[in-house]
Amino acid sequence: VSALAKVTGNKLEFEGALHSFDGTQEFRVHEMMLASEWENAGKELAEKLLRQKGADELLSNIKTKKCND
């Protein structure tokens, strides 16, 4: 799981990713928003990432430390 936020002026650029242990699966989000919207950004973008097909299953595997062979 990775995340990067960059503020430039009044803009917030956010990138987040979820990767399998072996690197074969990857889910990403990238959004630009007003910096004043930062309070909800992480939660909203995590939800957006997890709506991608297979991302919720991968996160569940990561939580239980199951690695796809």
Side-chain angles (χ1 to χ4, degrees):
V1 177
S2 62
L4 173 67
K6 179 180 172 184
V7 177
T8 305
N10 69 341
K11 301 281 186 189
L12 173 66
E13 180 177 7
F14 182 90
E15 293 183 64
L18 177 65
H19 305 270
S20 61
F21 292 112
D22 63 4
T24 60
Q25 291 181 287
E26 173 184 271
F27 300 92
R28 292 186 167 273
V29 291
H30 180 250
E31 294 286 332
M32 296 286 290
M33 62 194 69
L34 294 175
S36 61
E37 298 173 333
W38 70 269
E39 287 187 52
N40 296 318
K43 182 180 178 191
E44 289 175 12
L45 294 172
E47 290 170 353
K48 181 176 181 179
L49 188 140
L50 290 173
R51 285 194 297 270
Q52 295 178 42
K53 185 176 180 178
D56 57 343
E57 182 179 352
L58 175 57
L59 183 59
S60 178
N61 288 342
I62 290 169
K63 286 180 176 180
T64 59
K65 297 182 182 178
K66 292 180 183 175
C67 183
N68 294 335
D69 294 309

